[in-house]
């Protein structure tokens, strides 16, 4: 009997020990605190966009209506090197259409390698500017197109008669001028030379994501780009850079607040002969500014970062922090547009004849 009781007691203790060793039931962890919402960029006040506009599909002119024939002729003339004295330069030599309309040089080499005294600005969207050249001496791209051809430092043809001699020596050109200017009794003129190139340039438009944003698509820019735009407005860049081109609509004095260190170039005063216009230049547009350096009328500033800092200092009287400059540059890059690759493809040149003037390296 004792053995039975002892065995029962031992069995009970063993069972009790097994029970105390059983793993406890899992306990649910306490709920985690909800993560705070990610900060979001404050929306753009629509009032800030009132000073801007989207680019048009083409930049029309009542004085030079666009036709396919005129544009096609202008494109060929733009690329033709026979309109330079030594047949080695064309409009595209200084305004490369595959490089956002510039050659990325401080100043461009012309006839016999001579350097001009001003930076070659982009031709993209230039037809929308209120005047042409840094000093505004040409009112339209049609007039501007006639300047470099006769400039002795640039393409260096002697006069407009030399231009017409090239055209009239090439039957395909004569026929193309007749098609482009069918109402003219004598279509081969130097003015029509400028009108054809101008018609082509009026189609050199580069829309970007900024145009979608200005057009109402608030998702077209990311938060960093929107912040850059607000910084651009906040520091005062919009005093000069507004409109569809963000510039190109006024003259302004370089060194408005703090004197510019180099006053060698008189600016618009070179045209007007007025001391009041000294150091006034056309405000450059900011379209494709990321791609069109070096900067300023003399190409003296190599980087966009440097250009933004100098503008803050000399035009606004502000020392912009590196963070502010980086933010503004983030916005400026939204102005880099799409190149019209089909339009700018170089066409075949009409062949010369034995009457076509020969290259002259002199």
């Amino acid at each position: 009997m004792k053995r039975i009781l002892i065995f029962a007691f031992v069995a009970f203790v063993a069972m009790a020990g097994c029970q105390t060793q059983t793993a406890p039931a899992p306990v649910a962890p306490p709920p985690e605190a909800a993560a705070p919402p990610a900060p979001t960029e404050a929306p753009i006040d629509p009032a800030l966009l009132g000073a801007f506009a989207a680019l048009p599909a083409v930049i029309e002119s009542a004085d030079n209506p666009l036709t396919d024939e005129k544009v096609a002729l202008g494109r060929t003339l733009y690329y033709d090197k026979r309109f330079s004295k030594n047949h080695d330069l064309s409009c595209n030599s200084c305004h490369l259409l595959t490089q956002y309309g510039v050659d990325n040089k401080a100043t461009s080499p012309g006839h016999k390698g001579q350097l001009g005294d001003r930076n070659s600005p982009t031709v993209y969207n230039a037809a929308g500017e209120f005047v042409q050249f840094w000093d505004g001496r040409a009112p339209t791209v049609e007039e501007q197109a006639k300047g470099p051809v006769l400039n002795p430092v640039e393409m260096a043809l002697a006069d407009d008669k030399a231009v017409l001699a090239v055209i009239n020596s090439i039957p395909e050109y004569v026929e193309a001028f007749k098609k482009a200017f069918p109402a003219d009794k004598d279509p081969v003129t130097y003015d029509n030379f400028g009108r054809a190139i101008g018609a082509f340039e009026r189609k050199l438009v580069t829309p970007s994501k900024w145009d979608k944003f200005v057009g109402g698509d608030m998702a077209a820019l990311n938060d960093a780009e929107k912040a850059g735009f607000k910084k651009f407005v906040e520091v005062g860049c919009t005093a000069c850079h507004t409109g569809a081109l963000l510039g190109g609509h006024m003259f302004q004095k370089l060194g408005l607040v703090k004197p510019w260190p180099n006053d060698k170039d008189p600016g618009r005063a070179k045209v007007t002969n007025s001391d009041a216009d000294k150091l006034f230049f056309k405000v450059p547009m900011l379209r494709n500014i990321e791609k069109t350096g070096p900067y300023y009328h003399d190409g003296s500033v190599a980087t966009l970062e440097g250009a933004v800092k100098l503008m803050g200092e000399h035009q606004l009287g502000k020392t912009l922090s590196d963070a502010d400059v980086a933010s503004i540059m983030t916005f400026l890059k939204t102005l880099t547009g799409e190149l019209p690759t089909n339009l700018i493809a170089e066409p075949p040149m009409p062949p010369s004849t034995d009457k076509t003037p020969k290259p002259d390296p002199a």
Side-chain angles (χ1 to χ4, degrees):
M1 186 66 177
K2 286 182 179 180
R3 290 178 179 176
I4 293 172
L5 291 173
I6 291 170
F7 177 78
F9 176 77
V10 171
F12 173 79
V13 171
M15 290 177 64
C18 290
Q19 289 177 350
T20 58
Q21 294 174 5
T22 301
V27 178
E32 295 183 2
T40 57
E41 182 64 34
I44 298 291
D45 183 350
L48 293 181
L49 299 177
F52 304 92
L55 282 173
V58 296
I59 301 170
E60 300 280 0
S61 168
D63 296 325
N64 188 27
L66 304 188
T67 65
D68 291 344
E69 294 80 8
K70 199 182 295 182
V71 171
L73 173 59
R75 179 174 67 162
T76 305
L77 297 173
Y78 188 93
Y79 279 101
D80 198 332
K81 294 181 178 180
R82 290 169 294 191
F83 295 105
S84 64
K85 188 175 183 181
N86 197 34
H87 293 196
D88 55 355
L89 298 167
S90 71
C91 301
N92 194 63
S93 298
C94 301
H95 306 279
L96 284 76
L97 296 183
T98 57
Q99 292 181 202
Y100 284 87
V102 298
D103 59 6
N104 297 121
K105 298 176 182 177
T107 58
S108 302
H111 182 60
K112 298 193 295 184
Q114 300 174 90
L115 293 176
D117 58 357
R118 287 178 179 162
N119 178 258
S120 298
T122 179
V123 292
Y124 281 108
N125 311 298
E129 295 184 304
F130 83 121
V131 291
Q132 302 300 312
F133 294 112
W134 283 98
D135 55 20
R137 64 184 182 272
T140 64
V141 288
E142 288 79 7
E143 286 298 313
Q144 185 278 331
K146 298 188 296 182
V149 180
L150 306 185
N151 188 314
V153 176
E154 298 183 53
M155 297 168 76
L157 285 186
D159 50 32
D160 58 347
K161 294 178 181 178
V163 176
L164 300 184
V166 175
I167 297 171
N168 285 315
S169 74
I170 300 172
E172 287 187 29
Y173 264 144
V174 174
E175 187 61 27
F177 269 82
K178 290 179 180 178
K179 291 180 179 178
F181 303 97
D184 290 10
K185 182 178 180 181
D186 181 11
V188 180
T189 67
Y190 196 44
D191 283 343
N192 282 348
F193 173 89
R195 290 187 184 102
I197 295 176
F200 171 60
E201 292 185 354
R202 288 182 178 281
K203 297 199 72 172
L204 297 178
V205 179
T206 58
S208 72
K209 63 165 65 177
W210 170 249
D211 295 284
K212 296 178 181 178
F213 185 75
V214 174
D217 181 1
M218 294 294 104
L221 302 190
N222 61 37
D223 286 347
E225 292 164 341
K226 292 175 184 176
F229 168 65
K230 289 197 284 188
K231 181 61 65 176
F232 178 85
V233 174
E234 175 189 313
V235 302
C237 303
T238 50
C240 295
H241 296 284
T242 55
L245 304 181
L246 290 90
H249 62 280
M250 63 185 289
F251 294 111
Q252 183 57 277
K253 184 177 182 179
L254 185 59
L256 181 65
V257 175
K258 179 180 178 180
W260 192 250
N262 182 359
D263 62 358
K264 180 180 178 181
D265 189 328
R268 182 149 173 78
K270 193 173 183 179
V271 177
T272 65
N273 295 314
S274 170
D275 287 342
D277 289 328
K278 189 174 182 181
L279 285 178
F280 274 78
F281 296 90
K282 180 181 66 178
V283 173
M285 63 179 159
L286 299 181
R287 290 284 180 171
N288 303 311
I289 195 69
E290 172 195 9
K291 302 290 188 179
T292 55
Y295 303 99
Y296 297 108
H297 63 283
D298 54 2
S300 60
V301 180
T303 67
L304 181 57
E305 178 184 17
V308 172
K309 284 186 174 181
L310 286 171
M311 281 290 95
E313 181 181 356
H314 290 274
Q315 300 306 110
L316 301 172
K318 298 179 179 180
T319 300
L320 301 180
S321 69
D322 289 345
D324 286 346
V325 172
S327 183
I328 291 171
M329 287 174 60
T330 297
F331 161 64
L332 293 179
K333 291 177 182 179
T334 70
L335 305 176
T336 300
E338 303 171 12
L339 297 183
T341 53
N342 291 333
L343 176 66
I344 65 174
E346 183 172 354
M349 293 294 113
S352 297
T353 66
D354 56 1
K355 296 180 180 180
T356 303
K358 300 297 186 287
D360 180 2

